[in-house]
Amino acid sequence: MKSHYLNEDYSVRSWLLTTDHKRIGILFLLSITLFFILGGAAAVAVRLELLTPEGDLVSAEAYNRLFTAHGVIMVFFFLIPSIPSVLGNFFIPMMIGARDLAFPRLNLLSWYLYMAGGLLGLSAIVGGGIDTGWTFYTPYSSVFANGQVILAATGVFIAGFSSILTGLNFIVTIHTMRAPGLTWFRLPLFVWAHYATSFIQVLGTPVVASVIALVGIERLFGVGLFDPALGGDPLLFQHLFWFYSHPAVYIMILPAMGVISELVTCFSRKRIFGYEFVAYSSIAIAAVGFLVWGHHMFVSGQSMYAGMVFSFLSFLVAIPSAVKTFNWTATLHKGSISFATPMIYTLGFLGLFAIGGLTGLFLACLGVDVHVHDTYFVVAHFHYIMVGGTVMAYLGGIHFWWPKMTGRLYPEFWGRLSAMVIFIGFNLTFFPQFLLGYMGMPRRYYAYPGEFQVLNVMSTAGASILGFGYLMPLCYLLWSLKYGAEAGPNPWKSVGLEWQTESPPVVQNFETTPEVTQEAYAYDAQEAEADAS
Amino acid sequence: MHPESRFLAHHFDSLEQQHEAATMGMWLFLATEILFFGGMFTAYGVYRSFYPQAFVAASHHLDVTIGTFNTGVLLTSSLTAALAVHAAQAGRRRAVIGFLVATMLLGATFLGVKGFEYHHKFVESLIPGHGFVFPGPHARHAELFFSLYFVMTAFHALHILIGLGVMAYVIVLTRRGQVTPEHHPSVELTGLYWHFVDIIWVFLFPLLYLIR
Ligand SMILES: [Cu+2]
């Protein structure tokens, strides 16, 4: 049997002390899946409570703890690490023809920090819970906190350093370790997207760490850093928090956009339309994304003029996102499209991301935002981006690269079926929430007036379908590890560098360092070659 | 085989590439650090602009003489750190160790003086929290000043402490012969880190002690 990164050593120790980026990617895959299931369980409880207008399943206090647990787990312990730490970790070195990331031991440390943070967060949730919402707003998290705020905040703080180290590692790797001939404009767009993301991780995360430390000190010592009664300013907390947490949305969506660029080209057998535009738009999103945080505070007492500037800048950041969407759509045009599972996820992403992005423009309007602020409209909007966008792309990417990671093919029929179940379940869950929010149903309440029930029942029904859809890949992907067909090096006939080596890859990724002689997505050349032979 | 190639990690092609990666990694780490302190500097700036008189009154409770002395200590330690890097380039191993020890002693002096200052604040009941006592009309907002003073200087002191640990490790590396004229990233990057810690203090000192 051929030796590869999975079978060279089976011991637990060899996994826990590995510095192989591929194994660390797998460690992240397993751990974030666990957190996804836990965060999903909290969502199930939330949706069940909202089945009826009365608060009958859980108490109001328990409900606050449930949606906080859902938000904290999903944002900090699933979405932020998801694509970068799993797919980025595994494939960036392979896409650039390197043997590993620049700092393999830091990479392992990043996983340990993530686990430490995650377990602290989890112990906070189990040991009494937190009722602040995932945003840790003061005074919920300071004066009026009744829960394990310190523990949870420490967990988020530590997991933040995991994210910083991953970003730092990616930037250095992409700068210094590209294979001979791999110039910047021959890089896959997945790499460009992660490059832009990494800057947000390195420059944004420390600010939220800083503000979390300040909240911790306020709690521990009873000083009024953000307490107006003691001279503090809660708005300052919101500024510092969103300075990171808006760009954090791009930590979640930019890598997803990178995945989509890979998938849409491979399954249209076409070069990407406007490579430079897609590459630069990642950088533009990361840069402008740092200047829009105030759109979360239009009704928080921020000055009107600041609101106008933040509104304008928020509209501006929509332009590079739209550029990408147009370019992906143009790539489809006259392509030879095949509807394999990853492509179904890609098409789902395009539709859902478009809805999520356009409703974001509603929220960037000062006047409209006053009406829908803190309603289910906002909840629906960011779920269209984070679940409809990021999770769809993540699952599409997992299916696309599964044969490379494991050497096995997943069952295509079940893959397509679950992708469609997820798409339908998702829309049924979240589209009614746009309507609920527009009609005025506020978020974060466990009871609601009777006239909202029909739409809430639809949403809960959709969530059941969605949950079922997520369970399917969990089952058949595990099944495929043992019973799936051998994948071979390149089952998708992709032109990406990561496909030019064995599946699963050897420990060193490539037998010899590859030399790159053509641009990314040279599918035309590949087709021409196939015609000629 | 080149004698330095024993330092080459398996995933790099050349030592130049390895050095470039290490240096770039350090600069990015420092960028992260700047933004970490940036959050606290922002908080300081906002509250200073809200309550200028209280901040001036509170600042008068800090001892400029001690602060100046400590600034001198830290700046001197940056000099010895730079000399350590210089000695490493020249391959003078014993000088490297000597300068690193000097840097550590200066860093420890800084921490000792800081501890003395903290103790002094404790005696004067200027520790924020329930026991905080501040004469005059600005007590409430002076407490904000002292909260920020302690948070910022404590995080800075933590960085000094980490620097001391790192330098102790680099001394061990140097003694083991892992520092050569062509290959001494450990000394170089420690120097870079130490200068950064210094620069943070160069901003903290005037903001907390001098602007009155
Ligand atoms: Cu935002």
Side-chain angles (χ1 to χ4, degrees):
Chain A
M1 199 159 88
K2 266 182 276 179
S3 136
H4 51 73
Y5 81 103
L6 288 170
N7 70 4
E8 45 119 29
D9 190 343
Y10 288 105
S11 66
V12 174
R13 191 189 143 85
S14 75
W15 277 92
L16 292 182
L17 296 179
T18 182
T19 51
D20 183 341
H21 66 102
K22 300 184 286 301
R23 283 194 165 205
I24 296 171
I26 299 290
L27 288 176
F28 266 111
L29 173 66
L30 296 174
S31 21
I32 69 163
T33 305
L34 187 73
F35 278 96
F36 181 74
I37 292 170
L38 292 171
V44 167
V46 165
R47 278 319 319 166
L48 280 178
E49 169 57 56
L50 294 175
L51 204 50
T52 58
E54 304 80 30
D56 33 23
L57 186 68
V58 294
S59 67
E61 287 76 20
Y63 182 80
N64 290 347
R65 283 166 166 71
L66 281 170
F67 73 67
T68 304
H70 170 66
V72 169
I73 291 177
M74 288 304 203
V75 170
F76 295 112
F77 304 127
F78 174 71
L79 284 165
I80 286 180
S82 62
I83 296 176
S85 295
V86 178
L87 298 174
N89 229 331
F90 202 112
F91 290 108
I92 285 176
M94 301 194 64
M95 285 180 175
I96 66 171
R99 290 188 284 278
D100 207 323
L101 289 172
F103 308 114
R105 276 179 295 179
L106 273 192
N107 196 20
L108 181 65
L109 176 65
S110 167
W111 181 70
Y112 276 103
L113 288 174
Y114 165 79
M115 285 308 281
L119 292 178
L120 275 178
L122 214 56
S123 60
I125 289 161
V126 175
I130 11 165
D131 58 358
T132 61
W134 75 275
T135 48
F136 290 103
Y137 267 22
T138 57
Y140 299 136
S141 58
S142 53
V143 183
F144 299 113
N146 36 23
Q148 305 288 352
V149 173
I150 293 280
L151 210 55
T154 312
V156 170
F157 184 89
I158 293 175
F161 284 93
S162 159
S163 183
I164 291 173
L165 292 183
T166 300
L168 188 153
N169 223 338
F170 285 176
I171 295 176
V172 175
T173 305
I174 295 167
H175 264 276
T176 61
M177 300 182 71
R178 282 169 284 125
L182 189 51
T183 57
W184 281 88
F185 287 98
R186 284 177 177 176
L187 284 173
L189 291 161
F190 180 87
V191 178
W192 272 97
H194 276 81
Y195 183 71
T197 308
S198 299
F199 275 98
I200 306 174
Q201 289 175 299
V202 168
L203 299 179
T205 321
V207 177
V208 85
S210 180
V211 75
I212 287 175
L214 292 178
V215 169
I217 282 152
E218 166 155 9
R219 276 281 280 165
L220 281 177
F221 297 99
V223 296
L225 280 170
F226 301 114
D227 180 3
L230 298 172
D233 184 1
L235 210 55
L236 176 63
F237 171 86
Q238 296 182 23
H239 275 293
L240 292 173
F241 179 82
W242 287 113
F243 180 82
Y244 164 74
S245 293
H246 181 82
V249 174
Y250 301 123
I251 298 180
M252 304 175 211
I253 198 68
L254 275 170
M257 293 167 155
V259 170
I260 295 305
S261 295
E262 299 304 309
L263 305 194
V264 82
T265 46
C266 182
F267 294 97
S268 308
R269 315 305 304 166
K270 262 187 75 186
R271 162 181 295 147
I272 191 114
F273 182 83
Y275 174 98
E276 282 87 355
F277 282 90
V278 182
Y280 280 130
S281 62
S282 286
I283 308 291
I285 288 173
V288 183
F290 266 115
L291 306 172
V292 304
W293 76 88
H295 63 215
H296 294 271
M297 294 143 66
F298 286 159
V299 298
S300 300
Q302 172 181 257
S303 99
M304 186 180 76
Y305 300 102
M308 286 159 68
V309 173
F310 280 123
S311 171
F312 172 75
L313 289 169
S314 302
F315 276 103
L316 208 62
V317 84
I319 295 172
S321 310
V323 164
K324 279 183 191 286
T325 311
F326 283 124
N327 284 25
W328 291 320
T329 315
T331 305
L332 293 173
H333 181 64
K334 290 194 174 166
S336 6
I337 295 172
S338 57
F339 293 97
T341 309
M343 188 57 160
I344 297 178
Y345 278 110
T346 301
L347 297 174
F349 172 99
L350 291 179
L352 301 181
F353 177 72
I355 296 176
L358 289 172
T359 50
L361 294 179
F362 293 34
L363 292 165
C365 286
L366 287 166
V368 181
D369 185 67
V370 172
H371 177 62
V372 291
H373 186 89
D374 252 344
T375 68
Y376 265 88
F377 191 88
V378 178
V379 176
H381 156 69
F382 70 70
H383 280 88
Y384 264 80
I385 298 291
M386 293 179 187
V387 185
T390 305
V391 179
M392 293 295 274
Y394 173 69
L395 288 174
I398 289 285
H399 282 83
F400 181 60
W401 282 298
W402 188 257
K404 180 54 64 185
M405 291 194 280
T406 66
R408 301 291 179 146
L409 295 176
Y410 61 86
E412 193 58 49
F413 169 79
W414 290 102
R416 289 182 199 178
L417 182 69
S418 70
M420 283 184 278
V421 169
I422 287 172
F423 182 79
I424 292 165
F426 175 85
N427 280 300
L428 191 57
T429 310
F430 291 106
F431 201 82
Q433 296 186 7
F434 278 126
L435 307 176
L436 283 168
Y438 199 76
M439 286 154 65
M441 178 169 166
R443 61 192 288 203
R444 294 182 169 172
Y445 283 86
Y446 80 139
Y448 54 84
E451 68 254 39
F452 294 143
Q453 191 176 9
V454 174
L455 288 167
N456 269 297
V457 170
M458 282 170 72
S459 182
T460 299
S464 323
I465 297 173
L466 185 60
F468 183 66
Y470 286 144
L471 285 178
M472 283 159 65
L474 202 63
C475 299
Y476 65 72
L477 287 178
L478 285 174
W479 176 89
S480 77
L481 288 178
K482 195 159 166 49
Y483 304 104
E486 295 266 353
N490 193 359
W492 306 118
K493 299 197 171 45
S494 166
V495 294
L497 214 50
E498 76 273 25
W499 297 100
Q500 315 306 321
T501 183
E502 300 296 315
S503 311
V506 292
V507 176
Q508 301 277 317
N509 294 346
F510 299 93
E511 301 291 353
T512 53
T513 303
E515 192 146 343
V516 180
T517 54
Q518 57 185 7
E519 57 184 0
Y521 316 117
Y523 285 102
D524 326 13
Q526 189 199 40
E527 301 285 300
E529 215 172 279
D531 287 346
S533 58
Chain B
M1 204 164 150
H2 196 270
E4 311 296 336
S5 57
R6 66 193 160 108
F7 300 123
L8 184 63
H10 78 97
H11 57 295
F12 288 111
D13 290 327
S14 66
L15 273 180
E16 291 72 51
Q17 189 191 27
Q18 186 171 329
H19 287 176
E20 195 193 339
T23 309
M24 192 177 183
M26 192 46 149
W27 279 106
L28 283 168
F29 174 71
L30 296 184
T32 283
E33 289 276 35
I34 288 171
L35 277 131
F36 180 74
F37 279 98
M40 289 178 271
F41 277 114
T42 308
Y44 174 90
V46 167
Y47 291 138
R48 182 169 187 103
S49 72
F50 282 3
Y51 316 115
Q53 287 154 336
F55 271 50
V56 168
S59 172
H60 274 101
H61 286 256
L62 298 182
D63 191 328
V64 180
T65 318
I66 297 182
T68 311
F69 172 75
N70 240 358
T71 307
V73 168
L74 217 49
L75 289 178
T76 315
S77 79
S78 243
L79 175 69
T80 52
L83 287 172
V85 177
H86 192 71
Q89 284 161 352
R92 289 159 46 225
R93 212 179 284 169
R94 293 183 59 183
V96 173
I97 295 178
F99 284 125
L100 285 178
V101 169
T103 312
M104 286 177 72
L105 286 176
L106 289 164
T109 309
F110 178 90
L111 286 183
V113 172
K114 203 79 224 148
F116 172 76
E117 276 188 288
Y118 280 5
H119 174 74
H120 204 67
K121 298 290 161 298
F122 180 76
V123 173
E124 283 185 84
S125 303
L126 289 173
I127 307 284
H130 297 300
F132 184 81
V133 180
F134 190 84
H138 298 301
R140 181 165 285 173
H141 301 150
E143 196 180 356
L144 277 180
F145 174 89
F146 278 103
S147 301
L148 290 167
Y149 165 79
F150 278 106
V151 174
M152 293 163 98
T153 54
F155 269 117
H156 177 256
L158 179 67
H159 280 78
I160 300 246
L161 205 60
I162 292 170
L164 295 185
V166 171
M167 277 188 273
Y169 177 65
V170 174
I171 288 174
V172 173
L173 286 184
T174 314
R175 291 184 55 145
R176 281 199 204 139
Q178 307 233 23
V179 170
T180 69
E182 286 78 31
H183 180 85
H184 49 271
S186 53
V187 184
E188 206 177 295
L189 299 183
T190 308
L192 208 54
Y193 172 81
W194 195 258
H195 297 320
F196 162 80
V197 174
D198 236 29
I199 288 172
I200 294 290
W201 180 257
V202 166
F203 282 93
L204 284 176
F205 176 59
L207 285 179
L208 296 170
Y209 290 75
L210 294 184
I211 315 179
R212 290 182 165 173

